[in-house]
Amino acid sequence: MRDLLELTPEGLYCPQGDFHVDPWRRVPRAVITHAHADHARAGCDRYLCSSAGKLVLRSRIGAGSPIDTLRFRESVSFNGVRVSLHPAGHLLGSAQVRIEHGGLTWVVSGDYKLQADPTCEPFEHVECDVFVSESTFGLPVYRWQEPEGIAAEINAWWRANRDAGRTSVLLAYSLGKAQRLAAMVDPSIGPIMAHGAVMKLVEAYRSSGVRLPPIDRVPPRARRVGDGRGLVIAPPSVLGGSWLRLFGESSVALASGWMMLRGVRRRRGFEKGFAVSDHADFPGLLTAIDASRAGRVLVTHGFSEPLARFLRETRGLDATVLPTRFTGESSPDAAEKAEGEAVDDDPETLTEAVEADADFGIGEPS
Amino acid sequence: MKRFTDLYWRLDATTSTNEKVAALRDYFATAPHADAACALAVLSGGRQMRSVSSGLLREWAAAATGLPAWMVEECYAHVGDLAETLALLLPDPSAAGEGDGASLADVMQTTIHDLRGASEERKREVVAGVWGRLAPRERIVWHKLLTGGCRVGVSKTLVARALAEVAGVDQAVMAHRLMGDAVADGAAFARLLDPAPTDADSRRPYPFFLASALERSTVGEVAEDLGPLAEWQAEWKWDGMRAQIVRRGGDATVWSRGEELVSDAFPEIAAAAARLPPGTVLDGELLAVREGTLLGFGSLSKRAGRVRVTKKILEEIPCLFVAYDQLEAGGEDLRDRPLAERREMLERLVTTPFDATPAGFPAEAGRLFLSPLVIADSWDGLAGLRAGSRARGVEGLMLKRRNSPYGVGRTRGDWWKWKIEPLEIDAVLLYAQAGHGRRAGLHSDYTLGLWQDGRLVTVAKAYSGLSDDEIVEIDRIVRATTLEKHGPVRICQPTLVMQLAFEGVARSTRHKSGLAVRFPRIVRWRRDKEPAEAGTLADLERMIDAGR
């Protein structure tokens, strides 16, 4: 019997319902889990995403193609295949796609996290027969600290910098992580500013009804910004360029799950790193996989081989690797490098850099 | 333990030299002397004994976390640092908080030193106890102490600077005091901080003066940079072990550049040195020479690694000392005098020049020889002699300014290494392995191969010479072209060509190819070449003859 979903050169495809999930190429109908560039490519004829994620997706794929939406848990039928979307907790509007046909249920989880995030709907456990899971941080060395603890660390760093008259520059992926961080920190410490690329998505979040503290856009052609009290949120691509010099004396930290590893932090030359991620940590992956009660698990995107083997050996699951478009694995450096390719303070160039990361076959840098 | 843990993370968090010195100074000024002595031993990178093998630790960690052993290995390969891997994997301690209040000296004694020779059960009990007590940030430091790999990125110079500031003595005096016998306990540490000169100063060698490599190496460039040849003294650059002979008071000692006392490993040199007049210090090179043939550095390290040298080893690897500088005469420190003057004194003391050719050297000269001068009337002439280095078994030339004092450390300008150009061949990347430390999780160690009868045969493992960006890029290619994984090693499709440099080729039974290259390193990534254009084993074989 044919599987409900198949891997084609365009990505995951449902032959019965004639649609793709997070396709890599232009297709007639794309069901999108979330708006990160490696999941949502521009140029498809029609899109379907969660209503919560529509504005964010629109800001990424541009005007033109129509976007259909579903409220979470609402379903639609494509040629007898029932499709519904359920919160994935990765970023605003991120969804797991539940696909049901002929008595079998698949869930494509996209990227997900189980941790609390004030800027998006919490992850929902959906039972299914086949669960497609990411594995970006699928090794047991990855165990996240509680968000309150991380927030306290970031606040303490910001406060210490402020007291020393240094601007705090926090580097984070511009969609999702940046907004989550803005909502996590304590705005009473000082003013929050953001790079243009981040601001564009802050607007999309606000228009979608997410409450964020006041954030000022760093003016594109300013000569000197702030007085050493502020927190600046910017994408990692500003590293190495002249943009950082706007702030005079500053302390630069990277917020990324990879910062869990001392070697990565040292190699990248950061004095400070915060291990905060929008992906599930190892225990989170196991919790989600167990709760799905799926007998078959397809592991993709990250440490898929060890995680699949672990699931087979410890749970007796039928767990295999689902190859991503590029056979390589993600790695700490590849992930950040890709976003860091184009170094420019112009947000437009940055958009290209973000697009480019899909060409490297890596995920968003957590 | 908490104080040392704080120091470790403070050092780890900064790249600024001043900040590091400040952290060290704060620690040494406040830590109990017994703790400070332990910390100093760790920071100086002295050889630390492993009391528990890394294999056992991994096995116990697997049991403690309920993870399969292969998963622990997978994590280790990814993290690239065992101490950190274990700290990340183990469950958080039941009693939350900053571990126990035990001092570093106590922790070192009871949980590390006492384990040596203990039964496996006892070791496991102690390790499990510590795992249950220490917070993760303390655990990682403790693991590093336990496995003997606690490197924190501070040089001896920085440690000496911080201690000199704490003691209120000159940095050179402190550097001098730090050489030699390890600071074994609190009392020894207190003596280290003594502002007055101490008795033990008498056997210490001087801090070594180190040469820098000449970056520009054509004759014209060298001549332009260094000026008239008459201002320079040229000698061969020996492939041996740098050492000082210290003859003071009743005995003579031999010191390696690693600031270790190696008299016991080289008893025949110490005996020969004892016949020098008291108050003499010579700087030179230990060489292994048998029947007129230089044995090279590998044989020497075999000697140096021995605690006790057997008669057999003495016969198999006979050593001698080639002196090239005199630092002390009649108890007087000569280091501020010009080299030319020191050389004259040396020539009066050690009269037989060492001749590296197989013609041999007179037995009556004993074990002490003079490093001969390499004489030429022009830079071109000197370059011509340098070209014959490989045939002589030397690495090139040393150039020393005739009017220069004997400095401290690697101060540029007066001493230069003018090494011969390395041999080179283009080789294909076949296996890649994840690195450690800064390169943890990145595939940065490569095994390279050459063609033979249409197949690629491995010839060398090399890892330096590429930029961080290149390593990241290669890491991505390695991951995408992996054919097989064996633990941390990946066998890749042959797609990448590297220009490999090395100092020589010899026949070897250790490698599949039957050849071994000396000091291999990657010079550059040949993006312009296809694997089919890489070199062959036959090309490499021809270099054996070219070499000698």
Side-chain angles (χ1 to χ4, degrees):
Chain A
M1 198 185 79
R2 280 180 91 176
D3 273 337
L4 201 45
L5 287 174
E6 293 175 348
L7 195 60
T8 67
E10 289 76 31
L12 272 182
Y13 175 63
C14 177
Q16 177 67 31
D18 190 24
F19 61 87
H20 288 80
V21 180
D22 292 353
W24 306 317
R25 297 183 187 168
R26 296 168 182 200
V27 298
R29 178 176 290 281
V31 180
I32 300 297
T33 61
H34 65 283
H36 278 147
D38 51 339
H39 292 260
R41 300 286 284 167
C44 295
D45 295 342
R46 251 196 131 73
Y47 292 86
L48 174 68
C49 75
S50 72
S51 37
K54 182 177 180 179
L55 288 179
V56 173
L57 180 63
R58 178 61 77 199
S59 79
R60 304 290 284 210
I61 61 168
S65 313
I67 301 178
D68 303 321
T69 62
L70 282 177
R71 286 192 306 275
F72 284 128
R73 290 168 286 276
E74 182 188 9
S75 66
V76 66
S77 173
F78 293 114
N79 190 28
V81 177
R82 201 171 144 220
V83 174
S84 58
L85 302 178
H86 305 262
H90 182 56
L91 53 90
L92 176 61
S94 67
Q96 308 176 69
V97 184
R98 182 184 184 278
I99 302 164
E100 184 187 345
H101 180 72
L104 269 182
T105 307
W106 284 53
V107 168
V108 180
S109 58
D111 293 336
Y112 63 92
K113 74 167 174 291
L114 275 59
Q115 267 193 337
D117 177 345
T119 61
C120 71
E121 314 74 10
F123 181 88
E124 178 184 314
H125 293 292
V126 185
E127 291 191 10
C128 56
D129 300 297
V130 184
F131 188 64
V132 180
S133 177
E134 61 137 323
S135 60
T136 309
F137 292 104
L139 284 182
V141 288
Y142 292 103
R143 288 185 293 161
W144 310 142
Q145 206 188 129
E146 286 309 307
E148 298 75 30
I150 293 276
E153 272 186 27
I154 298 175
N155 288 334
W157 164 75
W158 181 11
R159 207 173 281 122
N161 288 333
R162 179 200 64 185
D163 294 348
R166 279 191 302 260
T167 302
S168 303
V169 181
L170 188 54
L171 303 181
Y173 197 69
S174 47
L175 167 55
K177 180 79 64 62
Q179 291 74 26
R180 181 187 178 198
L181 290 168
M184 273 169 82
V185 296
D186 176 0
S188 72
I189 298 173
I192 302 176
M193 292 171 281
H195 185 277
V198 171
M199 266 334 266
K200 191 171 145 190
L201 292 151
V202 164
E203 301 312 332
Y205 264 58
R206 285 201 172 120
S207 310
S208 306
V210 176
R211 286 173 59 93
L212 293 172
I215 304 172
D216 286 330
R217 184 195 171 111
V218 175
R221 273 170 251 295
R223 308 190 79 189
R224 184 72 201 258
V225 178
D227 52 5
R229 292 170 55 242
L231 174 71
V232 179
I233 304 178
S237 54
V238 300
L239 272 183
S242 59
W243 192 79
L244 279 176
R245 282 188 228 128
L246 282 178
F247 307 102
E249 206 195 329
S250 61
S251 170
V252 182
L254 180 68
S256 158
W258 302 113
M259 291 292 103
M260 192 89 192
L261 298 193
R262 180 169 159 266
V264 176
R265 183 166 57 73
R266 283 175 43 200
R267 176 161 68 239
R268 305 264 309 164
F270 290 108
E271 292 196 355
K272 198 76 190 170
F274 299 105
V276 53
S277 176
D278 288 332
H279 292 273
D281 59 4
F282 188 77
L285 292 167
L286 295 183
T287 303
I289 289 165
D290 290 344
S292 75
R293 303 175 67 98
R296 185 174 165 203
V297 179
L298 299 175
V299 188
T300 183
H301 224 289
F303 293 100
S304 36
E305 270 177 53
L307 181 59
R309 181 174 170 192
F310 186 81
L311 294 172
R312 286 195 301 272
E313 291 186 6
T314 62
R315 282 153 171 76
L317 295 176
D318 173 13
T320 46
V321 172
L322 176 72
T324 37
R325 176 180 177 186
F326 305 89
T327 50
E329 293 170 14
S330 64
S331 76
D333 297 85
E336 277 148 23
K337 183 70 191 158
E339 218 199 352
E341 278 312 287
V343 175
D344 203 306
D345 46 356
D346 181 348
E348 298 313 312
T349 321
L350 190 79
T351 312
E352 286 169 30
V354 170
E355 293 299 331
D357 81 11
D359 293 330
F360 288 104
I362 47 86
E364 61 101 10
S366 84
Chain B
M1 183 68 193
K2 179 172 184 312
R3 204 193 305 263
F4 184 71
T5 303
D6 289 344
L7 170 67
Y8 179 88
W9 289 112
R10 196 171 155 194
L11 291 173
D12 183 68
T14 181
T15 48
S16 141
T17 303
N18 287 335
E19 185 53 41
K20 282 183 179 179
V21 171
L24 290 166
R25 200 178 48 217
D26 292 350
Y27 178 81
F28 284 122
T30 55
H33 285 171
D35 283 7
C38 286
L40 180 59
V42 171
L43 293 169
S44 336
R47 228 171 294 153
Q48 298 163 45
M49 295 289 285
R50 282 189 171 220
S51 36
V52 179
S53 76
S54 116
L56 276 180
L57 281 174
R58 281 182 271 178
E59 194 185 310
W60 298 340
T65 53
L67 293 168
W70 64 262
M71 184 56 110
V72 174
E73 297 304 317
E74 193 84 36
C75 289
Y76 178 35
H78 172 63
V79 176
D81 179 312
L82 183 65
E84 188 180 356
T85 308
L86 296 181
L88 291 171
L89 283 179
L90 290 165
D92 293 336
S94 40
E98 277 292 275
D100 55 7
S103 73
L104 177 65
D106 275 355
V107 171
M108 292 284 285
Q109 190 61 47
T110 58
T111 69
I112 296 175
H113 295 311
D114 288 354
L115 292 193
R116 240 165 263 156
S119 71
E120 200 177 307
E121 256 165 70
R122 170 74 190 138
K123 287 180 181 177
R124 188 170 184 165
E125 195 181 309
V126 171
V127 169
V130 176
W131 281 351
R133 255 192 334 269
L134 296 191
R137 63 191 288 280
E138 273 184 319
R139 252 189 224 154
I140 183 166
V141 176
W142 181 77
H143 282 136
K144 285 188 171 285
L145 295 171
L146 180 70
T147 53
C150 197
R151 283 181 295 272
V152 282
V154 291
S155 64
K156 289 187 177 186
T157 316
L158 289 193
V159 173
R161 206 172 114 193
L163 283 170
E165 287 178 25
V166 174
V169 300
D170 201 64
Q171 190 183 328
V173 170
M174 186 53 74
H176 206 152
R177 282 187 191 175
L178 284 172
M179 298 186 82
D181 297 338
V183 177
D185 51 25
F189 187 79
R191 284 197 295 280
L192 195 65
L193 297 186
D194 192 344
T198 58
D199 190 43
D201 287 338
S202 70
R203 288 164 78 201
R204 291 195 177 109
Y206 291 97
F208 284 82
F209 187 33
L210 306 177
S212 309
L214 273 178
E215 278 138 25
R216 310 185 340 139
S217 56
T218 68
V219 192
E221 287 168 342
V222 170
E224 187 185 318
D225 281 0
L226 302 191
L229 180 59
E231 291 175 11
W232 294 87
Q233 168 178 313
E235 293 162 77
W236 297 117
K237 181 174 181 337
W238 306 103
D239 177 23
M241 211 173 109
R242 185 80 182 276
Q244 271 181 48
I245 286 177
V246 177
R247 166 78 179 98
R248 292 194 194 112
D251 63 358
T253 46
V254 184
W255 298 83
S256 78
R257 207 194 94 186
E259 300 174 7
E260 274 180 282
L261 189 56
V262 292
S263 309
D264 292 345
F266 298 96
E268 73 270 55
I269 307 295
R275 290 191 285 275
L276 291 168
T280 303
V281 177
L282 300 181
D283 182 14
E285 194 99 356
L286 289 164
L287 295 178
V289 184
R290 192 175 61 215
E291 288 155 18
T293 307
L294 279 166
L295 296 182
F297 184 74
S299 304
L300 265 173
S301 21
K302 246 193 209 165
R303 276 287 292 269
R306 301 267 164 163
V307 182
R308 208 173 60 83
V309 179
T310 59
K311 200 168 166 221
K312 185 161 165 270
I313 291 278
L314 279 174
E315 277 164 15
E316 271 173 16
I317 311 172
C319 292
L320 49 82
F321 182 82
V322 176
Y324 38 65
D325 213 329
Q326 183 164 7
L327 311 185
E328 189 175 305
E332 186 200 342
D333 182 351
L334 304 177
R335 290 179 299 162
D336 284 337
R337 301 205 194 181
L339 170 65
E341 200 179 320
R342 299 198 307 271
R343 173 81 193 183
E344 266 178 39
M345 298 175 79
L346 176 68
E347 284 178 0
R348 281 198 295 274
L349 187 70
V350 184
T351 49
T352 318
F354 179 64
D355 180 0
T357 57
F361 32 87
E364 64 272 19
R367 296 285 170 182
L368 303 186
F369 292 85
L370 179 68
S371 167
L373 299 181
V374 181
I375 310 287
D377 51 12
S378 67
W379 283 110
D380 280 322
L382 194 61
L385 292 169
R386 169 175 166 268
S389 295
R390 203 164 261 128
R392 281 179 176 272
V394 297
E395 297 179 320
L397 292 171
M398 291 296 306
L399 300 171
K400 301 173 184 173
R401 202 184 287 276
R402 289 173 56 79
N403 64 3
S404 66
Y406 187 91
V408 173
R410 204 180 297 276
T411 318
R412 292 171 69 84
D414 288 337
W415 277 29
W416 296 103
K417 298 184 269 201
W418 191 19
K419 294 224 245 182
I420 35 175
E421 303 298 331
L423 298 166
E424 286 181 344
I425 197 160
D426 290 330
V428 184
L429 192 153
L430 298 177
Y431 315 145
Q433 189 171 352
H436 294 268
R438 270 184 76 243
R439 289 171 174 181
L442 270 184
H443 292 85
S444 59
D445 298 6
Y446 313 123
T447 301
L448 303 163
L450 294 172
W451 291 104
Q452 183 189 34
D453 304 329
R455 288 175 49 243
L456 285 161
V457 190
T458 62
V459 290
K461 199 174 167 195
Y463 48 92
S464 59
L466 296 172
S467 71
D468 284 357
D469 283 351
E470 283 177 320
I471 291 172
V472 169
E473 198 177 340
I474 289 172
D475 177 73
R476 200 148 56 209
I477 298 172
V478 163
R479 286 169 196 271
T481 60
T482 299
L483 298 172
E484 279 173 58
K485 274 167 75 174
H486 297 279
V489 179
R490 284 163 185 262
I491 300 180
C492 308
Q493 285 168 28
T495 58
L496 301 168
V497 179
M498 301 289 153
Q499 186 173 337
L500 184 72
F502 47 94
E503 297 305 320
V505 193
R507 299 207 181 273
S508 154
T509 49
R510 271 179 54 193
H511 294 260
K512 257 185 241 169
S513 60
L515 297 175
V517 297
R518 222 171 70 73
F519 190 34
R521 68 266 184 198
I522 291 166
V523 187
R524 69 178 66 85
W525 176 7
R526 297 296 306 254
R527 294 171 193 261
D528 56 325
K529 287 209 168 182
E530 295 293 322
E533 300 172 70
T536 67
L537 216 49
D539 295 338
L540 190 62
E541 208 151 326
R542 273 192 291 277
M543 295 183 190
I544 300 182
D545 310 322
R548 286 272 163 173

